[in-house]
Amino acid sequence: MSPAQGVPLSGPVAETVPSRGGGLVRRLLSTLILLPLFVWMVASGSVWLFGAVMVLVGALGQWEFTGMFERAGVRTFRLLGLVGGSLVTASFARPGSDRVVFTVVLLALLALALLRPPAGAPVWEPLAVTLLGVCYVNWLLGYTFWLRDLEAGREWILLLVAVTWLGETAAYLVGSTVGRHKLAPTFSPRKTVEGALAQLVMSVLAALGARATFFPALSLESAVVVGLLLGVVGQAGDLFESAIKRSVGTKDTGRLIPGHGGMLDRVDSLLVNTPVLFYYAAYARSLGV
């Protein structure tokens, strides 16, 4: 996600916000380490390695998701969410099996809600939260398998990451330095209009850069459309995660990645951008859009 964008937080969380310079250095160092590793993984062409990493990312994100609610005193079926969610992500590797696995996981959660009703809490609470995590994190992340399996799948994956992460970086840099106008103070008081515009512009530039460097088959029109589409949708995904975190009173989902927070903080925009890009790549372009 895009962390600080210039508008100060209030309350106890504000005291834990690092300095702009320190946060930027940690963010850049993390990116310099993680981005080359990701590019190498995709470029290697190993389907098994790619699949294993995606399942691991989904498992970490799911664990962080339920952990947020647990720390806020909201019960979840955390272990079943972890195992079931990982199976849901992995099921996208075999066409058709995703529906079967998701149904099995859903039925298991329903059964667990009856067999182990939470003490002092509505029976639907752990079921609803855990199921939301499976759908939000693991189901959406599963689309990376389908995107990777398309013609020029490796290029689509690299395009997805380049547009999303470069756009977020631009939002962070512009928002934290010149951002003055709040974008969505109810959900994320530190995000700014200036940062959002910077992300949109950089997303388009990143898509055009991808076309010029490693994805020449992508038309100029498609590059612009993809940049605009992911630039808007990615910010919506970022705001959705911010709204969830704000509802449980936390700033980050974890501390796994210095400068970013948890794994879920790093992939929140990718979660929504991936299915959007998949459907565009699979259907819209085939219709000449």
Side-chain angles (χ1 to χ4, degrees):
M1 77 172 274
S2 312
Q5 290 193 26
V7 180
L9 289 171
S10 59
V13 177
E15 298 175 0
T16 66
V17 177
S19 66
R20 292 175 179 175
L24 178 60
V25 169
R26 285 189 292 272
R27 185 182 182 90
L28 290 176
L29 287 176
S30 297
T31 301
L32 287 174
I33 295 172
L34 294 176
L35 188 57
L37 287 175
F38 184 85
V39 172
W40 169 80
M41 177 193 70
V42 176
S44 70
S46 173
V47 177
W48 288 102
L49 176 61
F50 179 81
V53 171
M54 291 302 101
V55 172
L56 177 60
V57 169
L60 291 171
Q62 171 65 222
W63 190 253
E64 291 174 349
F65 183 88
T66 53
M68 284 193 300
F69 286 90
E70 291 280 350
R71 290 191 297 273
V74 179
R75 292 284 302 277
T76 67
F77 298 135
R78 202 173 186 197
L79 183 58
L80 181 55
L82 176 67
V83 176
S86 298
L87 291 175
V88 167
T89 302
S91 69
F92 279 74
R94 290 180 59 88
S97 63
D98 52 293
R99 289 166 291 183
V100 176
V101 173
F102 181 81
T103 302
V104 171
V105 171
L106 173 59
L107 293 176
L109 285 170
L110 291 173
L112 189 58
L114 294 176
L115 295 174
R116 294 180 55 188
V123 70
W124 57 263
E125 188 176 80
L127 171 65
V129 172
T130 307
L131 184 58
L132 174 61
V134 170
C135 294
Y136 170 53
V137 179
N138 304 106
W139 179 269
L140 294 181
L141 190 65
Y143 277 90
T144 56
F145 285 87
W146 291 357
L147 186 63
R148 176 64 178 78
D149 287 341
L150 293 176
E151 183 181 354
R154 280 184 288 183
E155 285 80 4
W156 283 116
I157 291 290
L158 291 174
L159 173 67
L160 169 71
V161 173
V163 171
T164 303
W165 285 358
L166 288 176
E168 289 180 337
T169 301
Y172 180 88
L173 291 174
V174 173
S176 62
T177 54
V178 300
R180 296 294 180 269
H181 301 88
K182 296 180 180 181
L183 176 66
T186 302
F187 299 138
S188 184
R190 308 190 76 226
K191 290 180 173 57
T192 65
V193 173
E194 291 84 355
L197 292 175
Q199 180 166 348
L200 192 60
V201 171
M202 179 54 71
S203 295
V204 174
L205 293 177
L208 293 173
R211 175 179 180 269
T213 53
F214 63 82
F215 204 170
L218 187 69
S219 69
L220 178 62
E221 295 80 4
S222 288
V224 174
V225 170
V226 166
L228 291 173
L229 193 60
L230 299 189
V232 172
V233 174
Q235 293 189 61
D238 194 345
L239 286 173
F240 176 73
E241 194 221 16
S242 295
I244 293 177
K245 291 189 297 184
R246 192 166 184 81
S247 71
V248 294
T250 186
K251 178 180 178 292
D252 296 317
T253 60
R255 299 180 180 178
L256 180 65
I257 306 175
H260 294 283
M263 179 60 70
L264 192 54
D265 293 314
R266 175 69 284 187
V267 301
D268 55 356
S269 296
L270 285 173
L271 290 177
V272 294
N273 273 349
T274 303
V276 168
L277 183 59
F278 167 76
Y279 285 116
Y280 176 82
Y283 301 112
R285 292 186 71 238
S286 67
L287 299 175
V289 178

